[in-house]
PDB file of all heavy atoms in Angstrom:
ATOM      1  N   MET A 267       0.854  -1.204  -0.020  1.00  0.00           N
ATOM      2  CA  MET A 267       0.013  -0.019   0.030  1.00  0.00           C
ATOM      3  C   MET A 267       0.882   1.241   0.011  1.00  0.00           C
ATOM      4  O   MET A 267       1.817   1.366   0.806  1.00  0.00           O
ATOM      5  CB  MET A 267      -0.892  -0.010   1.243  1.00  0.00           C
ATOM      6  CG  MET A 267      -1.869   1.207   1.275  1.00  0.00           C
ATOM      7  SD  MET A 267      -2.569   1.452   2.937  1.00  0.00           S
ATOM      8  CE  MET A 267      -3.307  -0.174   3.237  1.00  0.00           C
ATOM      9  N   THR A 268       0.571   2.163  -0.844  1.00  0.00           N
ATOM     10  CA  THR A 268       1.332   3.436  -0.899  1.00  0.00           C
ATOM     11  C   THR A 268       0.894   4.364   0.192  1.00  0.00           C
ATOM     12  O   THR A 268      -0.296   4.668   0.303  1.00  0.00           O
ATOM     13  CB  THR A 268       1.144   4.090  -2.247  1.00  0.00           C
ATOM     14  OG1 THR A 268       1.626   3.242  -3.262  1.00  0.00           O
ATOM     15  CG2 THR A 268       1.886   5.402  -2.315  1.00  0.00           C
ATOM     16  N   GLU A 269       1.820   4.775   1.039  1.00  0.00           N
ATOM     17  CA  GLU A 269       1.513   5.740   2.088  1.00  0.00           C
ATOM     18  C   GLU A 269       2.297   7.056   1.905  1.00  0.00           C
ATOM     19  O   GLU A 269       1.846   8.104   2.357  1.00  0.00           O
ATOM     20  CB  GLU A 269       1.898   5.118   3.453  1.00  0.00           C
ATOM     21  CG  GLU A 269       1.059   3.904   3.777  1.00  0.00           C
ATOM     22  CD  GLU A 269       1.424   3.335   5.130  1.00  0.00           C
ATOM     23  OE1 GLU A 269       1.359   4.059   6.107  1.00  0.00           O
ATOM     24  OE2 GLU A 269       1.845   2.132   5.183  1.00  0.00           O
ATOM     25  N   TYR A 270       3.464   6.938   1.271  1.00  0.00           N
ATOM     26  CA  TYR A 270       4.317   8.097   1.062  1.00  0.00           C
ATOM     27  C   TYR A 270       4.876   8.054  -0.342  1.00  0.00           C
ATOM     28  O   TYR A 270       4.995   7.006  -0.962  1.00  0.00           O
ATOM     29  CB  TYR A 270       5.467   8.111   2.057  1.00  0.00           C
ATOM     30  CG  TYR A 270       5.065   8.130   3.483  1.00  0.00           C
ATOM     31  CD1 TYR A 270       5.020   6.931   4.230  1.00  0.00           C
ATOM     32  CD2 TYR A 270       4.746   9.299   4.132  1.00  0.00           C
ATOM     33  CE1 TYR A 270       4.637   6.925   5.561  1.00  0.00           C
ATOM     34  CE2 TYR A 270       4.336   9.319   5.446  1.00  0.00           C
ATOM     35  CZ  TYR A 270       4.310   8.142   6.168  1.00  0.00           C
ATOM     36  OH  TYR A 270       3.957   8.127   7.473  1.00  0.00           O
ATOM     37  N   GLU A 271       5.273   9.251  -0.792  1.00  0.00           N
ATOM     38  CA  GLU A 271       6.063   9.332  -2.039  1.00  0.00           C
ATOM     39  C   GLU A 271       7.436   9.851  -1.650  1.00  0.00           C
ATOM     40  O   GLU A 271       7.570  10.903  -1.036  1.00  0.00           O
ATOM     41  CB  GLU A 271       5.386  10.298  -3.013  1.00  0.00           C
ATOM     42  CG  GLU A 271       4.042   9.757  -3.455  1.00  0.00           C
ATOM     43  CD  GLU A 271       3.379  10.636  -4.512  1.00  0.00           C
ATOM     44  OE1 GLU A 271       3.955  11.686  -4.839  1.00  0.00           O
ATOM     45  OE2 GLU A 271       2.282  10.272  -4.999  1.00  0.00           O
ATOM     46  N   PHE A 272       8.456   9.088  -2.036  1.00  0.00           N
ATOM     47  CA  PHE A 272       9.829   9.446  -1.750  1.00  0.00           C
ATOM     48  C   PHE A 272      10.429   9.972  -3.004  1.00  0.00           C
ATOM     49  O   PHE A 272      10.389   9.374  -4.052  1.00  0.00           O
ATOM     50  CB  PHE A 272      10.573   8.195  -1.250  1.00  0.00           C
ATOM     51  CG  PHE A 272      12.091   8.350  -1.260  1.00  0.00           C
ATOM     52  CD1 PHE A 272      12.684   9.239  -0.369  1.00  0.00           C
ATOM     53  CD2 PHE A 272      12.884   7.643  -2.116  1.00  0.00           C
ATOM     54  CE1 PHE A 272      14.075   9.407  -0.362  1.00  0.00           C
ATOM     55  CE2 PHE A 272      14.280   7.776  -2.124  1.00  0.00           C
ATOM     56  CZ  PHE A 272      14.860   8.633  -1.253  1.00  0.00           C
ATOM     57  N   THR A 273      11.094  11.130  -2.873  1.00  0.00           N
ATOM     58  CA  THR A 273      11.897  11.633  -4.005  1.00  0.00           C
ATOM     59  C   THR A 273      13.301  11.932  -3.460  1.00  0.00           C
ATOM     60  O   THR A 273      13.502  12.713  -2.540  1.00  0.00           O
ATOM     61  CB  THR A 273      11.309  12.964  -4.574  1.00  0.00           C
ATOM     62  OG1 THR A 273       9.945  12.713  -4.947  1.00  0.00           O
ATOM     63  CG2 THR A 273      12.081  13.466  -5.764  1.00  0.00           C
ATOM     64  N   CYS A 274      14.297  11.287  -4.070  1.00  0.00           N
ATOM     65  CA  CYS A 274      15.668  11.424  -3.605  1.00  0.00           C
ATOM     66  C   CYS A 274      16.232  12.741  -4.068  1.00  0.00           C
ATOM     67  O   CYS A 274      16.197  13.039  -5.270  1.00  0.00           O
ATOM     68  CB  CYS A 274      16.532  10.246  -4.138  1.00  0.00           C
ATOM     69  SG  CYS A 274      18.246  10.393  -3.685  1.00  0.00           S
ATOM     70  N   PRO A 275      16.803  13.523  -3.174  1.00  0.00           N
ATOM     71  CA  PRO A 275      17.372  14.833  -3.553  1.00  0.00           C
ATOM     72  C   PRO A 275      18.684  14.691  -4.305  1.00  0.00           C
ATOM     73  O   PRO A 275      19.136  15.603  -4.964  1.00  0.00           O
ATOM     74  CB  PRO A 275      17.577  15.524  -2.177  1.00  0.00           C
ATOM     75  CG  PRO A 275      17.732  14.397  -1.214  1.00  0.00           C
ATOM     76  CD  PRO A 275      16.846  13.285  -1.730  1.00  0.00           C
ATOM     77  N   GLU A 276      19.272  13.516  -4.208  1.00  0.00           N
ATOM     78  CA  GLU A 276      20.598  13.282  -4.843  1.00  0.00           C
ATOM     79  C   GLU A 276      20.423  12.754  -6.279  1.00  0.00           C
ATOM     80  O   GLU A 276      20.930  13.363  -7.237  1.00  0.00           O
ATOM     81  CB  GLU A 276      21.385  12.306  -4.016  1.00  0.00           C
ATOM     82  CG  GLU A 276      22.746  11.951  -4.593  1.00  0.00           C
ATOM     83  CD  GLU A 276      23.703  13.153  -4.628  1.00  0.00           C
ATOM     84  OE1 GLU A 276      23.478  14.121  -3.882  1.00  0.00           O
ATOM     85  OE2 GLU A 276      24.671  13.102  -5.380  1.00  0.00           O
ATOM     86  N   CYS A 277      19.691  11.668  -6.465  1.00  0.00           N
ATOM     87  CA  CYS A 277      19.575  11.047  -7.771  1.00  0.00           C
ATOM     88  C   CYS A 277      18.246  11.265  -8.447  1.00  0.00           C
ATOM     89  O   CYS A 277      18.089  10.944  -9.627  1.00  0.00           O
ATOM     90  CB  CYS A 277      19.871   9.544  -7.677  1.00  0.00           C
ATOM     91  SG  CYS A 277      18.583   8.565  -6.845  1.00  0.00           S
ATOM     92  N   GLY A 278      17.317  11.851  -7.730  1.00  0.00           N
ATOM     93  CA  GLY A 278      16.031  12.191  -8.354  1.00  0.00           C
ATOM     94  C   GLY A 278      15.050  11.016  -8.444  1.00  0.00           C
ATOM     95  O   GLY A 278      13.964  11.167  -8.993  1.00  0.00           O
ATOM     96  N   GLN A 279      15.447   9.880  -7.908  1.00  0.00           N
ATOM     97  CA  GLN A 279      14.528   8.708  -7.943  1.00  0.00           C
ATOM     98  C   GLN A 279      13.241   9.005  -7.223  1.00  0.00           C
ATOM     99  O   GLN A 279      13.265   9.499  -6.113  1.00  0.00           O
ATOM    100  CB  GLN A 279      15.250   7.516  -7.323  1.00  0.00           C
ATOM    101  CG  GLN A 279      14.418   6.211  -7.346  1.00  0.00           C
ATOM    102  CD  GLN A 279      14.210   5.710  -8.762  1.00  0.00           C
ATOM    103  OE1 GLN A 279      15.112   5.720  -9.583  1.00  0.00           O
ATOM    104  NE2 GLN A 279      13.032   5.211  -8.986  1.00  0.00           N
ATOM    105  N   HIS A 280      12.113   8.661  -7.822  1.00  0.00           N
ATOM    106  CA  HIS A 280      10.825   8.807  -7.216  1.00  0.00           C
ATOM    107  C   HIS A 280      10.200   7.440  -6.988  1.00  0.00           C
ATOM    108  O   HIS A 280      10.072   6.635  -7.910  1.00  0.00           O
ATOM    109  CB  HIS A 280       9.921   9.658  -8.092  1.00  0.00           C
ATOM    110  CG  HIS A 280       8.570   9.910  -7.542  1.00  0.00           C
ATOM    111  ND1 HIS A 280       7.448   9.195  -7.925  1.00  0.00           N
ATOM    112  CD2 HIS A 280       8.137  10.752  -6.547  1.00  0.00           C
ATOM    113  CE1 HIS A 280       6.413   9.610  -7.238  1.00  0.00           C
ATOM    114  NE2 HIS A 280       6.779  10.547  -6.385  1.00  0.00           N
ATOM    115  N   ILE A 281       9.818   7.164  -5.735  1.00  0.00           N
ATOM    116  CA  ILE A 281       9.301   5.826  -5.400  1.00  0.00           C
ATOM    117  C   ILE A 281       8.101   6.005  -4.481  1.00  0.00           C
ATOM    118  O   ILE A 281       8.095   6.819  -3.578  1.00  0.00           O
ATOM    119  CB  ILE A 281      10.356   4.981  -4.608  1.00  0.00           C
ATOM    120  CG1 ILE A 281      11.733   4.993  -5.273  1.00  0.00           C
ATOM    121  CG2 ILE A 281       9.874   3.514  -4.481  1.00  0.00           C
ATOM    122  CD1 ILE A 281      12.795   4.324  -4.457  1.00  0.00           C
ATOM    123  N   GLU A 282       7.062   5.202  -4.765  1.00  0.00           N
ATOM    124  CA  GLU A 282       5.909   5.160  -3.847  1.00  0.00           C
ATOM    125  C   GLU A 282       6.173   4.062  -2.819  1.00  0.00           C
ATOM    126  O   GLU A 282       6.506   2.946  -3.154  1.00  0.00           O
ATOM    127  CB  GLU A 282       4.640   4.874  -4.636  1.00  0.00           C
ATOM    128  CG  GLU A 282       4.271   5.959  -5.600  1.00  0.00           C
ATOM    129  CD  GLU A 282       3.006   5.726  -6.376  1.00  0.00           C
ATOM    130  OE1 GLU A 282       2.499   4.571  -6.384  1.00  0.00           O
ATOM    131  OE2 GLU A 282       2.442   6.705  -6.933  1.00  0.00           O
ATOM    132  N   ILE A 283       6.012   4.403  -1.530  1.00  0.00           N
ATOM    133  CA  ILE A 283       6.474   3.535  -0.463  1.00  0.00           C
ATOM    134  C   ILE A 283       5.406   3.471   0.619  1.00  0.00           C
ATOM    135  O   ILE A 283       4.512   4.292   0.684  1.00  0.00           O
ATOM    136  CB  ILE A 283       7.798   4.004   0.123  1.00  0.00           C
ATOM    137  CG1 ILE A 283       7.689   5.412   0.700  1.00  0.00           C
ATOM    138  CG2 ILE A 283       8.913   3.901  -0.933  1.00  0.00           C
ATOM    139  CD1 ILE A 283       8.861   5.822   1.514  1.00  0.00           C
ATOM    140  N   ASN A 284       5.623   2.517   1.555  1.00  0.00           N
ATOM    141  CA  ASN A 284       4.758   2.475   2.732  1.00  0.00           C
ATOM    142  C   ASN A 284       5.602   2.857   4.003  1.00  0.00           C
ATOM    143  O   ASN A 284       6.765   3.219   3.899  1.00  0.00           O
ATOM    144  CB  ASN A 284       4.174   1.047   2.890  1.00  0.00           C
ATOM    145  CG  ASN A 284       5.227  -0.025   3.040  1.00  0.00           C
ATOM    146  OD1 ASN A 284       6.360   0.271   3.417  1.00  0.00           O
ATOM    147  ND2 ASN A 284       4.893  -1.239   2.683  1.00  0.00           N
ATOM    148  N   GLY A 285       4.948   2.832   5.131  1.00  0.00           N
ATOM    149  CA  GLY A 285       5.576   3.312   6.360  1.00  0.00           C
ATOM    150  C   GLY A 285       6.902   2.605   6.706  1.00  0.00           C
ATOM    151  O   GLY A 285       7.888   3.229   6.969  1.00  0.00           O
ATOM    152  N   PRO A 286       6.906   1.247   6.713  1.00  0.00           N
ATOM    153  CA  PRO A 286       8.146   0.537   6.999  1.00  0.00           C
ATOM    154  C   PRO A 286       9.281   0.858   6.025  1.00  0.00           C
ATOM    155  O   PRO A 286      10.466   0.967   6.435  1.00  0.00           O
ATOM    156  CB  PRO A 286       7.769  -0.924   6.948  1.00  0.00           C
ATOM    157  CG  PRO A 286       6.293  -0.938   7.286  1.00  0.00           C
ATOM    158  CD  PRO A 286       5.756   0.321   6.671  1.00  0.00           C
ATOM    159  N   MET A 287       8.932   1.059   4.780  1.00  0.00           N
ATOM    160  CA  MET A 287       9.992   1.402   3.772  1.00  0.00           C
ATOM    161  C   MET A 287      10.514   2.812   4.076  1.00  0.00           C
ATOM    162  O   MET A 287      11.705   3.085   3.893  1.00  0.00           O
ATOM    163  CB  MET A 287       9.396   1.341   2.382  1.00  0.00           C
ATOM    164  CG  MET A 287       9.154  -0.111   1.916  1.00  0.00           C
ATOM    165  SD  MET A 287       8.307  -0.160   0.298  1.00  0.00           S
ATOM    166  CE  MET A 287       9.578   0.489  -0.772  1.00  0.00           C
ATOM    167  N   ARG A 288       9.648   3.719   4.479  1.00  0.00           N
ATOM    168  CA  ARG A 288      10.095   5.067   4.829  1.00  0.00           C
ATOM    169  C   ARG A 288      11.126   4.982   5.998  1.00  0.00           C
ATOM    170  O   ARG A 288      12.210   5.618   5.910  1.00  0.00           O
ATOM    171  CB  ARG A 288       8.904   5.936   5.271  1.00  0.00           C
ATOM    172  CG  ARG A 288       9.239   7.299   5.745  1.00  0.00           C
ATOM    173  CD  ARG A 288       7.980   8.072   6.132  1.00  0.00           C
ATOM    174  NE  ARG A 288       8.262   9.405   6.589  1.00  0.00           N
ATOM    175  CZ  ARG A 288       8.659   9.721   7.812  1.00  0.00           C
ATOM    176  NH1 ARG A 288       8.818   8.786   8.705  1.00  0.00           N
ATOM    177  NH2 ARG A 288       8.860  10.988   8.144  1.00  0.00           N
ATOM    178  N   THR A 289      10.835   4.170   7.007  1.00  0.00           N
ATOM    179  CA  THR A 289      11.766   4.039   8.142  1.00  0.00           C
ATOM    180  C   THR A 289      13.067   3.455   7.676  1.00  0.00           C
ATOM    181  O   THR A 289      14.140   3.899   8.085  1.00  0.00           O
ATOM    182  CB  THR A 289      11.083   3.115   9.191  1.00  0.00           C
ATOM    183  OG1 THR A 289       9.878   3.658   9.629  1.00  0.00           O
ATOM    184  CG2 THR A 289      12.031   2.927  10.389  1.00  0.00           C
ATOM    185  N   ALA A 290      13.020   2.467   6.766  1.00  0.00           N
ATOM    186  CA  ALA A 290      14.227   1.863   6.259  1.00  0.00           C
ATOM    187  C   ALA A 290      15.073   2.859   5.464  1.00  0.00           C
ATOM    188  O   ALA A 290      16.274   2.876   5.596  1.00  0.00           O
ATOM    189  CB  ALA A 290      13.871   0.633   5.392  1.00  0.00           C
ATOM    190  N   ILE A 291      14.409   3.683   4.656  1.00  0.00           N
ATOM    191  CA  ILE A 291      15.158   4.649   3.856  1.00  0.00           C
ATOM    192  C   ILE A 291      15.751   5.711   4.747  1.00  0.00           C
ATOM    193  O   ILE A 291      16.914   6.139   4.551  1.00  0.00           O
ATOM    194  CB  ILE A 291      14.237   5.267   2.788  1.00  0.00           C
ATOM    195  CG1 ILE A 291      13.877   4.224   1.735  1.00  0.00           C
ATOM    196  CG2 ILE A 291      14.921   6.465   2.099  1.00  0.00           C
ATOM    197  CD1 ILE A 291      12.804   4.623   0.721  1.00  0.00           C
ATOM    198  N   LEU A 292      15.026   6.130   5.807  1.00  0.00           N
ATOM    199  CA  LEU A 292      15.633   7.106   6.749  1.00  0.00           C
ATOM    200  C   LEU A 292      16.874   6.522   7.425  1.00  0.00           C
ATOM    201  O   LEU A 292      17.805   7.243   7.718  1.00  0.00           O
ATOM    202  CB  LEU A 292      14.555   7.512   7.757  1.00  0.00           C
ATOM    203  CG  LEU A 292      13.519   8.530   7.263  1.00  0.00           C
ATOM    204  CD1 LEU A 292      12.365   8.624   8.306  1.00  0.00           C
ATOM    205  CD2 LEU A 292      14.120   9.861   7.021  1.00  0.00           C
ATOM    206  N   SER A 293      16.810   5.218   7.689  1.00  0.00           N
ATOM    207  CA  SER A 293      17.951   4.544   8.391  1.00  0.00           C
ATOM    208  C   SER A 293      19.131   4.300   7.449  1.00  0.00           C
ATOM    209  O   SER A 293      20.273   4.474   7.795  1.00  0.00           O
ATOM    210  CB  SER A 293      17.497   3.235   9.007  1.00  0.00           C
ATOM    211  OG  SER A 293      16.555   3.482  10.043  1.00  0.00           O
ATOM    212  N   ASN A 294      18.781   3.842   6.217  1.00  0.00           N
ATOM    213  CA  ASN A 294      19.817   3.295   5.336  1.00  0.00           C
ATOM    214  C   ASN A 294      20.154   4.179   4.162  1.00  0.00           C
ATOM    215  O   ASN A 294      21.130   3.951   3.414  1.00  0.00           O
ATOM    216  CB  ASN A 294      19.307   1.945   4.764  1.00  0.00           C
ATOM    217  CG  ASN A 294      19.035   0.961   5.880  1.00  0.00           C
ATOM    218  OD1 ASN A 294      19.657   0.952   6.927  1.00  0.00           O
ATOM    219  ND2 ASN A 294      18.000   0.136   5.676  1.00  0.00           N
ATOM    220  N   GLY A 295      19.344   5.234   3.896  1.00  0.00           N
ATOM    221  CA  GLY A 295      19.611   6.076   2.791  1.00  0.00           C
ATOM    222  C   GLY A 295      18.797   5.617   1.557  1.00  0.00           C
ATOM    223  O   GLY A 295      18.078   4.635   1.573  1.00  0.00           O
ATOM    224  N   CYS A 296      18.958   6.361   0.469  1.00  0.00           N
ATOM    225  CA  CYS A 296      18.255   6.075  -0.775  1.00  0.00           C
ATOM    226  C   CYS A 296      18.561   4.651  -1.254  1.00  0.00           C
ATOM    227  O   CYS A 296      19.731   4.272  -1.306  1.00  0.00           O
ATOM    228  CB  CYS A 296      18.664   7.090  -1.819  1.00  0.00           C
ATOM    229  SG  CYS A 296      18.066   6.757  -3.494  1.00  0.00           S
ATOM    230  N   PRO A 297      17.553   3.902  -1.646  1.00  0.00           N
ATOM    231  CA  PRO A 297      17.775   2.511  -2.114  1.00  0.00           C
ATOM    232  C   PRO A 297      18.535   2.474  -3.433  1.00  0.00           C
ATOM    233  O   PRO A 297      19.076   1.457  -3.813  1.00  0.00           O
ATOM    234  CB  PRO A 297      16.386   1.895  -2.231  1.00  0.00           C
ATOM    235  CG  PRO A 297      15.429   3.026  -2.309  1.00  0.00           C
ATOM    236  CD  PRO A 297      16.095   4.192  -1.581  1.00  0.00           C
ATOM    237  N   ILE A 298      18.545   3.572  -4.158  1.00  0.00           N
ATOM    238  CA  ILE A 298      19.220   3.616  -5.455  1.00  0.00           C
ATOM    239  C   ILE A 298      20.657   4.063  -5.317  1.00  0.00           C
ATOM    240  O   ILE A 298      21.603   3.400  -5.791  1.00  0.00           O
ATOM    241  CB  ILE A 298      18.469   4.544  -6.416  1.00  0.00           C
ATOM    242  CG1 ILE A 298      16.974   4.205  -6.534  1.00  0.00           C
ATOM    243  CG2 ILE A 298      19.133   4.529  -7.808  1.00  0.00           C
ATOM    244  CD1 ILE A 298      16.689   2.744  -6.965  1.00  0.00           C
ATOM    245  N   CYS A 299      20.887   5.174  -4.648  1.00  0.00           N
ATOM    246  CA  CYS A 299      22.224   5.774  -4.634  1.00  0.00           C
ATOM    247  C   CYS A 299      22.869   5.788  -3.218  1.00  0.00           C
ATOM    248  O   CYS A 299      23.991   6.201  -3.089  1.00  0.00           O
ATOM    249  CB  CYS A 299      22.176   7.189  -5.191  1.00  0.00           C
ATOM    250  SG  CYS A 299      21.355   8.385  -4.107  1.00  0.00           S
ATOM    251  N   SER A 300      22.111   5.375  -2.173  1.00  0.00           N
ATOM    252  CA  SER A 300      22.607   5.285  -0.811  1.00  0.00           C
ATOM    253  C   SER A 300      22.821   6.638  -0.159  1.00  0.00           C
ATOM    254  O   SER A 300      23.379   6.686   0.958  1.00  0.00           O
ATOM    255  CB  SER A 300      23.882   4.444  -0.730  1.00  0.00           C
ATOM    256  OG  SER A 300      23.636   3.114  -1.149  1.00  0.00           O
ATOM    257  N   GLU A 301      22.474   7.720  -0.805  1.00  0.00           N
ATOM    258  CA  GLU A 301      22.608   9.053  -0.161  1.00  0.00           C
ATOM    259  C   GLU A 301      21.673   9.144   1.038  1.00  0.00           C
ATOM    260  O   GLU A 301      20.544   8.696   1.023  1.00  0.00           O
ATOM    261  CB  GLU A 301      22.177  10.105  -1.185  1.00  0.00           C
ATOM    262  CG  GLU A 301      22.319  11.527  -0.652  1.00  0.00           C
ATOM    263  CD  GLU A 301      23.791  12.027  -0.614  1.00  0.00           C
ATOM    264  OE1 GLU A 301      24.676  11.288  -1.128  1.00  0.00           O
ATOM    265  OE2 GLU A 301      24.032  13.111  -0.071  1.00  0.00           O
ATOM    266  N   ALA A 302      22.153   9.701   2.148  1.00  0.00           N
ATOM    267  CA  ALA A 302      21.345   9.923   3.341  1.00  0.00           C
ATOM    268  C   ALA A 302      20.245  10.891   3.032  1.00  0.00           C
ATOM    269  O   ALA A 302      20.465  11.918   2.377  1.00  0.00           O
ATOM    270  CB  ALA A 302      22.198  10.428   4.487  1.00  0.00           C
ATOM    271  N   VAL A 303      19.035  10.618   3.471  1.00  0.00           N
ATOM    272  CA  VAL A 303      17.906  11.468   3.202  1.00  0.00           C
ATOM    273  C   VAL A 303      17.166  11.755   4.551  1.00  0.00           C
ATOM    274  O   VAL A 303      17.262  10.998   5.471  1.00  0.00           O
ATOM    275  CB  VAL A 303      16.932  10.876   2.180  1.00  0.00           C
ATOM    276  CG1 VAL A 303      17.595  10.643   0.831  1.00  0.00           C
ATOM    277  CG2 VAL A 303      16.342   9.568   2.706  1.00  0.00           C
ATOM    278  N   GLY A 304      16.411  12.856   4.560  1.00  0.00           N
ATOM    279  CA  GLY A 304      15.687  13.275   5.732  1.00  0.00           C
ATOM    280  C   GLY A 304      14.177  13.321   5.506  1.00  0.00           C
ATOM    281  O   GLY A 304      13.700  12.993   4.402  1.00  0.00           O
ATOM    282  N   ASP A 305      13.482  13.786   6.540  1.00  0.00           N
ATOM    283  CA  ASP A 305      12.022  13.878   6.466  1.00  0.00           C
ATOM    284  C   ASP A 305      11.493  14.642   5.282  1.00  0.00           C
ATOM    285  O   ASP A 305      10.441  14.369   4.747  1.00  0.00           O
ATOM    286  CB  ASP A 305      11.506  14.554   7.733  1.00  0.00           C
ATOM    287  CG  ASP A 305      11.244  13.594   8.855  1.00  0.00           C
ATOM    288  OD1 ASP A 305      11.109  12.367   8.579  1.00  0.00           O
ATOM    289  OD2 ASP A 305      11.223  14.030  10.002  1.00  0.00           O
ATOM    290  N   GLU A 306      12.291  15.624   4.845  1.00  0.00           N
ATOM    291  CA  GLU A 306      11.821  16.495   3.766  1.00  0.00           C
ATOM    292  C   GLU A 306      11.729  15.838   2.419  1.00  0.00           C
ATOM    293  O   GLU A 306      11.154  16.367   1.477  1.00  0.00           O
ATOM    294  CB  GLU A 306      12.721  17.778   3.660  1.00  0.00           C
ATOM    295  CG  GLU A 306      14.121  17.486   3.194  1.00  0.00           C
ATOM    296  CD  GLU A 306      15.057  16.963   4.244  1.00  0.00           C
ATOM    297  OE1 GLU A 306      14.624  16.762   5.408  1.00  0.00           O
ATOM    298  OE2 GLU A 306      16.280  16.814   3.956  1.00  0.00           O
ATOM    299  N   SER A 307      12.308  14.592   2.306  1.00  0.00           N
ATOM    300  CA  SER A 307      12.258  13.897   1.036  1.00  0.00           C
ATOM    301  C   SER A 307      10.980  13.039   0.886  1.00  0.00           C
ATOM    302  O   SER A 307      10.832  12.376  -0.122  1.00  0.00           O
ATOM    303  CB  SER A 307      13.529  13.008   0.936  1.00  0.00           C
ATOM    304  OG  SER A 307      14.666  13.807   0.933  1.00  0.00           O
ATOM    305  N   PHE A 308      10.143  13.066   1.890  1.00  0.00           N
ATOM    306  CA  PHE A 308       8.908  12.264   1.900  1.00  0.00           C
ATOM    307  C   PHE A 308       7.684  13.164   1.882  1.00  0.00           C
ATOM    308  O   PHE A 308       7.630  14.157   2.597  1.00  0.00           O
ATOM    309  CB  PHE A 308       8.869  11.341   3.101  1.00  0.00           C
ATOM    310  CG  PHE A 308       9.974  10.409   3.191  1.00  0.00           C
ATOM    311  CD1 PHE A 308      11.182  10.741   3.834  1.00  0.00           C
ATOM    312  CD2 PHE A 308       9.896   9.129   2.575  1.00  0.00           C
ATOM    313  CE1 PHE A 308      12.247   9.871   3.862  1.00  0.00           C
ATOM    314  CE2 PHE A 308      10.955   8.263   2.661  1.00  0.00           C
ATOM    315  CZ  PHE A 308      12.141   8.616   3.292  1.00  0.00           C
ATOM    316  N   ALA A 309       6.714  12.778   1.054  1.00  0.00           N
ATOM    317  CA  ALA A 309       5.442  13.492   1.047  1.00  0.00           C
ATOM    318  C   ALA A 309       4.300  12.472   1.213  1.00  0.00           C
ATOM    319  O   ALA A 309       4.461  11.306   0.739  1.00  0.00           O
ATOM    320  CB  ALA A 309       5.263  14.230  -0.296  1.00  0.00           C
ATOM    321  N   PRO A 310       3.236  12.845   1.879  1.00  0.00           N
ATOM    322  CA  PRO A 310       2.112  11.906   1.980  1.00  0.00           C
ATOM    323  C   PRO A 310       1.558  11.600   0.616  1.00  0.00           C
ATOM    324  O   PRO A 310       1.481  12.472  -0.255  1.00  0.00           O
ATOM    325  CB  PRO A 310       1.076  12.701   2.811  1.00  0.00           C
ATOM    326  CG  PRO A 310       1.848  13.794   3.486  1.00  0.00           C
ATOM    327  CD  PRO A 310       3.027  14.098   2.549  1.00  0.00           C
ATOM    328  N   ALA A 311       1.209  10.346   0.395  1.00  0.00           N
ATOM    329  CA  ALA A 311       0.668   9.917  -0.893  1.00  0.00           C
ATOM    330  C   ALA A 311      -0.746  10.426  -1.085  1.00  0.00           C
ATOM    331  O   ALA A 311      -1.479  10.609  -0.101  1.00  0.00           O
ATOM    332  CB  ALA A 311       0.753   8.412  -1.060  1.00  0.00           C
TER     333      ALA A 311
HETATM  334 ZN1  LIG B 291      19.115   8.471  -4.600  1.00  0.00          ZN
END
């Protein structure tokens, strides 16, 4: 289920994600380029 839209500020990747994926990206960085990202990279879907 899509809960958030993630847009990477580094590589521009746009991904529709759910809550657990958001937590994982905040912990591990962008799944594409590994750049660290913050709350501002997520928008409610
Ligand atoms: Zn990225």
Side-chain angles (χ1 to χ4, degrees):
M267 183 195 304
T268 298
E269 297 179 57
Y270 300 97
E271 295 183 358
F272 165 68
T273 303
C274 178
E276 178 67 18
C277 70
Q279 181 68 40
H280 180 259
I281 312 172
E282 294 182 344
I283 60 170
N284 60 22
M287 289 174 67
R288 178 181 180 276
T289 301
I291 292 172
L292 283 169
S293 295
N294 303 325
C296 172
I298 307 303
C299 71
S300 298
E301 182 75 8
V303 299
D305 272 339
E306 68 278 5
S307 299
F308 300 88

